[in-house]
Amino acid sequence: MNKTLQLGDVYDGHSSSAILRPEIIPFLASYNLIPQLLSQSIIELAIAPITCTQAETSHALEQFYQHWDLTTEPKIQDWCLRYGLTQEQLELFATRKLRVEKFKQITWGHQIESYFLKYKRHLDKVIYSLIRTENRGTANELFFRITEGEQSFSELAREYSQGPEADTNGIIGPVELGTIAPNFAQLLCTSQVGIVQAPVPFGESWVIVRVEKFITAQLDNFMRQRLLQDNFETWFQQQLSQLSPEEKTWMGINTKPAQLPEVNAA
């Protein structure tokens, strides 16, 4: 195995350059644990420079002991002995999640505001009512019934819509605009709240929509954590792209270029 597979595996508590013992490789391979090893090695390398304060470490250890029911010093020592961990390794193990969060904050925390503003439209949510049918004539008839007040949108959606929205009286959402097909999201964004839109073709169906509510995304703590995680996952995928061909095979990443079908000569 190459450099990446040798890093952050059997962590020695002093650096991220511990070498995986040769006899461990077949064991990991036989249980298909190489992908987890590679993934954790990438993360371990990234957080190696990140440190915790004494207070943070003490708090992390307290939570760790509580989780494993290590209520006495002998229990702690027995646990460490069972898994071959020194006190320093135990502290690194207990603070790993915190150090990952610190890595996210150090790396991307300063740009979260600009990132949020750039993608805010995709993060805004919408609640809308939908009726879809494959028949244009049916769509026009349903639109007429709604606009003339003959039947309600929800009643017709429940009776005629050919999608899962029929089970919710036509209501969909709240959903983020970024998760909706761009052309359909554009239709929603240009619609007035409460106004039924005339039938429009979408895919193989004709759809009637009515926007019920727009919900503006807010840069609160939950959103900050989510955007940090989004950046972290993007970074992680970039790291995977730098793996060797063998490692990419272990990770299930297709490294072969797509082959064009052969065309027989006339």
Side-chain angles (χ1 to χ4, degrees):
M1 294 293 175
N2 68 15
K3 176 182 176 183
T4 304
L5 189 57
Q6 295 175 335
L7 294 175
D9 33 34
V10 184
Y11 195 72
D12 65 5
H14 299 284
S15 69
S16 59
S17 58
I19 305 301
L20 192 66
R21 289 194 290 265
E23 66 271 17
I24 300 298
I25 292 288
F27 173 81
L28 294 174
S30 66
Y31 286 95
N32 197 29
L33 295 175
I34 298 296
Q36 290 92 321
L37 172 65
L38 289 169
S39 297
Q40 296 308 313
S41 295
I42 291 171
I43 297 172
E44 200 64 48
L45 278 171
I47 68 173
I50 307 297
T51 59
C52 295
T53 65
Q54 184 175 355
E56 289 171 335
T57 300
S58 297
H59 180 65
L61 283 172
E62 287 178 8
Q63 292 182 316
F64 182 84
Y65 295 152
Q66 183 177 8
H67 176 77
W68 288 98
D69 192 31
L70 303 177
T71 56
T72 64
E73 188 61 31
K75 282 188 175 182
I76 295 173
Q77 293 177 359
D78 288 344
W79 196 95
C80 290
L81 183 62
R82 180 185 306 171
Y83 295 103
L85 295 177
T86 64
Q87 180 63 29
E88 186 176 0
Q89 290 172 325
L90 179 63
E91 292 178 1
L92 289 170
F93 189 25
T95 60
R96 191 176 193 277
K97 182 177 180 180
L98 175 59
R99 288 183 291 122
V100 169
E101 294 305 316
K102 281 191 167 190
F103 169 73
K104 294 178 189 176
Q105 187 63 46
I106 291 171
T107 309
W108 300 288
H110 63 284
Q111 61 189 36
I112 287 300
E113 286 79 6
S114 60
Y115 184 87
F116 172 76
L117 292 175
K118 181 178 179 180
Y119 293 101
K120 182 180 177 301
R121 181 175 177 181
H122 298 277
L123 299 169
D124 289 339
K125 295 180 179 180
V126 62
I127 301 173
Y128 62 97
S129 293
L130 173 71
I131 297 175
R132 55 180 139 190
T133 175
E134 295 179 356
N135 187 283
R136 180 178 183 179
T138 300
N140 288 329
E141 173 64 22
L142 298 179
F143 175 71
F144 176 80
R145 293 188 198 179
I146 296 170
T147 55
E148 292 299 313
E150 294 182 7
Q151 287 180 276
S152 68
F153 199 116
S154 60
E155 181 182 0
L156 293 174
R158 186 170 59 250
E159 184 175 353
Y160 289 98
S161 197
Q162 298 173 336
E165 65 280 347
D167 297 328
T168 57
N169 296 328
I171 294 290
I172 295 178
V175 292
E176 290 184 354
L177 288 167
T179 65
I180 303 173
N183 52 346
F184 191 69
Q186 181 64 24
L187 171 65
L188 295 174
C189 287
T190 55
S191 300
Q192 288 185 308
V193 174
I195 303 299
V196 180
Q197 301 299 308
V200 295
F202 188 77
E204 299 180 354
S205 301
W206 286 82
V207 300
I208 306 170
V209 298
R210 180 180 67 196
V211 172
E212 307 296 345
K213 184 179 182 180
F214 286 111
I215 304 172
T216 302
Q218 302 293 327
L219 188 56
D220 53 17
N221 185 60
F222 177 83
M223 180 62 72
R224 285 180 180 274
Q225 294 304 313
R226 179 202 160 165
L227 297 182
L228 284 172
Q229 182 63 23
D230 287 348
N231 278 275
F232 178 78
E233 291 176 1
T234 298
W235 165 83
F236 185 74
Q237 292 302 316
Q238 293 171 345
Q239 302 307 302
L240 292 181
S241 70
Q242 299 175 25
L243 295 176
S244 70
E246 181 184 0
E247 290 170 334
K248 288 181 179 179
T249 300
W250 275 111
M251 296 298 295
I253 302 173
N254 185 13
T255 58
K256 296 181 180 179
Q259 297 294 319
L260 296 175
E262 293 184 4
V263 179
N264 295 327

